[in-house]
Structure formats: structure tokens, C-alpha cells
Amino acid sequence: DEFTLVVINDAPEEEMRAQIAAVAAEVGAEHVQTPDYFDHSDPSEVVGRIVTWAVQDVALKRFDDSLLFLLEGDMFPVAPFS
């Protein structure tokens, strides 16, 4: 099946933003930079705000008739669960 890979880039530093954008381009992914108004001082709060923004402002507006799969880069399964 066809799919579109979209990288939501919320890196707070310019160098990291550029590296993420370069890797996204290398693998043929769309790259979307988050707005600058997100406060990264509380990581547990900002991740929720960014995921909400990505769904509302990117996914639902551009892919409203598609199946959506979200993968948040800070979640790493480390053990089997049921």
C-alpha cells in the first residue's frame, strides 16, 4: 500500500533541526517544522502539545481521509506487554 511518511521536527536547537531535516530528505519523508512558540522547558508537557498540534494542524488537514499511524520518537518498547 502507498503511504506518506511525515517527520514532525520539534528540535529546539537549529543544528538539530537541520540534521533532522537532512535525514528526512535522505529517506524521502515530508518534513514539517513545528512553530517556534512551543516551550520546551517541560518535556512531558511539550510532547503532548506537539502531538496535538501535529494531529490537528497537519494530519487532519492534509490526510483527513487516510488511516493515520502516529509514532512518537520518545517511546521505546523495552519489554513484552499484553
Side-chain angles (χ1 to χ4, degrees), residues 41-52:
S41 64
D42 183 351
S44 62
E45 182 178 328
V46 74
V47 70
R49 292 183 187 274
I50 290 169
V51 169
T52 299

Side-chain angles (χ1 to χ4, degrees), residues 50-82:
I50 290 169
V51 169
T52 299
W53 173 85
V55 169
Q56 292 175 344
D57 286 19
V58 179
L60 293 178
K61 289 181 180 178
R62 295 174 51 196
F63 305 103
D64 65 337
D65 63 343
S66 301
L67 179 64
L68 178 64
F69 176 73
L70 295 176
L71 180 62
E72 210 293 315
D74 292 332
M75 297 186 304
F76 303 103
V78 294
F81 62 93
S82 60

Side-chain angles (χ1 to χ4, degrees), residues 23-41:
V23 171
E26 283 180 26
V27 299
E30 289 188 36
H31 174 262
V32 179
Q33 181 66 48
T34 58
D36 289 335
Y37 57 75
F38 286 112
D39 178 7
H40 286 81
S41 64

